[in-house]
Amino acid sequence: MSIFALVDCNNFYASCERVFNPALEGKPIVILSNNDGCIIARSNEAKALGIPMGCPYYSFKQIFQKQNVEVFSSNYELYGDMSQRVMDSLAEFCPDIEVYSIDEAFLKLDGFKDRDLDAFAIEIRQKIKQWTGIPVSIGIGATKTLAKMANHIAKRHTQSGVFNLLDTNISEKILSEFEVEKIWGIASGGEKKLKQLGIITAKQLRDANPKIIRKHLTVVGERIVYELRGISCLPLEIFVAPKKNIMSSRSFGRIVTKYEDLEEAIANYASRACEKMRKEKSRAQAVQVSVTTNPFKTHTKQYRNGTMSRFIAPTNDTMHIISQAVKCLKQIYHSDYEYKKVSVMLMDLVSDEGGQQDLFDEVNYDKSDKIMGVLDNINLKMGRNKLFIGTQGIERNWKMQRNKQSSRFTTQWHELLEVR
DNA sequence: TCTGGGGTCCTAGGACCC
DNA sequence: TCTGGGGTCCTAGGACCC
């Protein structure tokens, strides 16, 4: 039998804000999405006030003022760096680590069977807090799905922040009380189908016929059944799989109708996506551009469309990709809509080393790679977008709003925390 | 006034082949 | 009247995750 642990940072974004601003301790905090649109993270105190996840900020503004809720725009530079610190710290304890998301990691504890796992988890938790300032919860189980479940319990129903589902006596009781929709991988669609089959608890799902579950929830659901039985179907993925697609998309800070503004935005998103792609050491084989109006403004004319351009050979050249993206935009742009969002997706990524060269060797990567290297180096040293392609424009008045951002304490010298 | 961004995996169905 | 069988590849769309 395997042993998995899921380590999950508590209210991660809110906790990051607190590390550098201890006065926030005990206060309700919310963090907003890009454009200060939605609530995407809440401290426990904010949750206790009944502020739902994903709700629009404007509809709660007054409540926030009345209840003295601290509001922050999202600060991904800070959160990303704090995440790195947490993950590096975890790796000190266990070499078999899968970084699952910005605030979660799976550990495989098979090599620690002889230890008191609860005590070990409590030690990890205490050290992470000491080294990074971030509180975490740890769930332990025989599969990833069970470790997730254990973490859910750890976060809500324990003082220690640690919960272990390996003990069968405990797990029987927990599974019989655990609602099926809280299981990792079961969302509202699956919940509905399971309820029609009379399955309400995790225990019922575990004991259901896997073939019948597969019929209704595909192989994904069947795997969950086995995972609940302690049979691991989802292995630890230590090596980060190279990305297959890279997307850059952003809602606008205001309504945009002019073609020129959209073109600027597309060029900027394409440029950003290309940077990410080169960092991954990949090249794309196609680019897809999509545009959409604001779906919440139901009284205005709605429009959404996208189109794709395939390249002759894989490329990560910003200039080439911008020009292709702009061609796509021209195909789908109509002047009579109010646009809210555009996106650029680089698709079918392949490694930039070796790999397939163009059949007729028309593509000479050397020159392009040199130019892109210079571009990336300058922007790395001098700051994002110091050097950019003309199409990206200068005014960028479509840009998103982010008015309540905290300092990037850990990644920018001029934003270091000052102690007076 | 005002509603995020970025991914993955799976399946069904069409196109095409022999 | 009546029209095979089996396979692969690709794509769009759905579902789900954080």
Side-chain angles (χ1 to χ4, degrees):
Chain A
M1 191 187 70
S2 292
I3 303 175
F4 290 90
L6 177 70
V7 184
D8 191 327
C9 301
N10 299 346
N11 312 321
F12 182 55
Y13 296 171
S15 297
C16 289
E17 298 294 345
R18 271 182 185 150
V19 170
F20 296 92
N21 188 352
L24 296 171
E25 210 62 54
K27 289 189 183 165
I29 306 174
V30 299
I31 286 88
L32 307 178
S33 64
N34 284 335
N35 258 324
D36 295 343
C38 300
I39 314 301
I40 55 163
R42 304 154 296 157
S43 70
N44 284 339
E45 298 78 6
K47 288 175 188 171
L49 290 174
I51 299 161
M53 179 76 171
C55 63
Y57 170 46
Y58 69 85
S59 64
F60 278 83
K61 234 173 182 169
Q62 278 161 7
I63 295 178
F64 289 166
Q65 276 166 6
K66 218 180 280 170
Q67 306 278 355
N68 289 320
V69 176
E70 303 279 347
V71 180
F72 294 92
S73 306
S74 37
N75 184 346
Y76 287 108
E77 210 167 308
L78 176 65
Y79 309 151
D81 188 63
M82 293 304 288
S83 171
Q84 190 66 52
R85 293 175 186 211
V86 170
M87 301 307 169
D88 288 348
S89 304
L90 283 173
E92 303 255 319
F93 289 96
C94 176
D96 297 328
I97 174 170
E98 173 188 340
V99 177
Y100 177 68
S101 73
I102 194 166
D103 70 337
E104 278 173 78
F106 286 102
L107 307 178
K108 206 158 183 214
L109 300 180
D110 295 16
F112 298 85
K113 275 181 179 140
D114 299 335
R115 291 186 64 158
D116 177 343
L117 290 176
D118 293 60
F120 185 42
I122 287 170
E123 183 194 343
I124 294 176
R125 191 174 180 273
Q126 189 262 322
K127 291 293 184 195
I128 299 298
K129 173 80 180 163
Q130 183 186 336
W131 293 341
T132 67
I134 300 291
V136 302
S137 300
I138 303 181
I140 299 170
T143 63
K144 281 185 167 179
T145 304
L146 290 168
K148 267 271 189 188
M149 187 182 287
N151 191 285
H152 187 93
I153 312 276
K155 199 162 276 178
R156 288 163 184 79
H157 305 297
T158 66
Q159 284 291 316
S160 63
V162 170
F163 194 76
N164 185 339
L165 260 181
L166 291 174
D167 183 326
T168 26
N169 292 325
I170 297 176
S171 73
E172 276 304 302
K173 183 167 189 301
I174 297 292
L175 262 71
S176 68
E177 289 169 2
F178 204 84
E179 292 154 309
V180 88
E181 68 269 24
K182 299 207 173 98
I183 297 172
W184 188 40
I186 306 280
S188 60
E191 178 196 358
K192 221 172 142 190
K193 286 177 188 165
L194 288 174
K195 294 227 157 123
Q196 279 165 6
L197 295 169
I199 296 172
I200 300 162
T201 69
K203 189 177 172 184
Q204 287 174 314
L205 182 58
R206 179 196 68 183
D207 298 336
N209 182 338
K211 294 294 164 222
I212 292 178
I213 299 303
R214 182 177 187 139
K215 216 177 281 171
H216 293 90
L217 297 184
T218 80
V219 67
V220 179
E222 186 183 15
R223 270 185 215 132
I224 293 173
V225 174
Y226 285 114
E227 284 259 317
L228 290 173
R229 294 178 182 185
I231 299 163
S232 176
C233 303
L234 305 168
L236 193 81
E237 318 234 0
I238 295 177
F239 302 104
V240 186
K243 286 196 168 59
K244 296 172 180 172
N245 302 303
I246 288 177
M247 167 120 121
S248 178
S249 91
R250 213 71 77 208
S251 295
F252 297 132
R254 58 172 184 77
I255 287 298
V256 171
T257 52
K258 268 172 39 198
Y259 171 79
E260 292 72 25
D261 286 337
L262 286 185
E263 188 182 278
E264 259 185 39
I266 287 288
N268 276 279
Y269 300 170
S271 164
R272 181 78 192 106
C274 286
E275 274 175 23
K276 288 193 222 167
M277 172 163 65
R278 288 193 295 271
K279 215 172 158 192
E280 286 253 324
K281 302 197 174 301
S282 299
R283 298 186 207 273
Q285 305 190 78
V287 62
Q288 182 182 285
V289 170
S290 320
V291 301
T292 172
T293 51
N294 187 342
F296 296 102
K297 271 189 152 183
T298 44
H299 57 281
T300 60
K301 273 186 295 182
Q302 293 293 313
Y303 176 61
R304 56 188 308 165
N305 201 355
T307 189
M308 199 201 300
S309 162
R310 291 204 163 273
F311 309 141
I312 300 163
T315 180
N316 59 21
D317 187 303
T318 300
M319 288 177 279
H320 183 239
I321 289 175
I322 287 181
S323 78
Q324 294 301 306
V326 165
K327 275 186 202 163
C328 290
L329 177 66
K330 283 182 175 145
Q331 285 174 39
I332 54 180
Y333 172 80
H334 293 290
S335 61
D336 38 3
Y337 296 107
E338 297 182 343
Y339 295 93
K340 179 61 180 170
K341 181 157 111 174
V342 298
S343 65
V344 173
M345 180 138 84
L346 303 174
M347 305 178 70
D348 303 336
L349 269 48
V350 293
S351 164
D352 71 356
E353 289 157 357
Q356 266 188 330
Q357 291 275 327
D358 181 44
L359 207 51
F360 305 103
D361 242 359
E362 279 173 34
V363 186
N364 181 358
Y365 285 125
D366 285 356
K367 191 176 161 197
S368 161
D369 284 352
K370 273 184 195 149
I371 298 173
M372 291 305 121
V374 170
L375 179 72
D376 288 338
N377 276 330
I378 289 178
N379 286 331
L380 190 68
K381 280 191 197 129
M382 311 297 287
R384 183 172 293 173
N385 265 332
K386 275 288 178 310
L387 190 61
F388 59 91
I389 313 299
T391 326
Q392 288 176 244
I394 295 174
E395 285 186 30
R396 300 181 194 168
N397 52 16
W398 40 269
K399 272 184 81 165
M400 68 172 170
Q401 309 281 313
R402 206 148 59 173
N403 297 322
K404 300 170 180 299
Q405 195 173 72
S406 55
S407 298
R408 295 167 291 178
F409 298 104
T410 61
T411 53
Q412 301 290 329
W413 287 112
H414 60 278
E415 296 183 27
L416 274 180
L417 184 64
E418 287 180 29
V419 180
R420 295 164 204 268

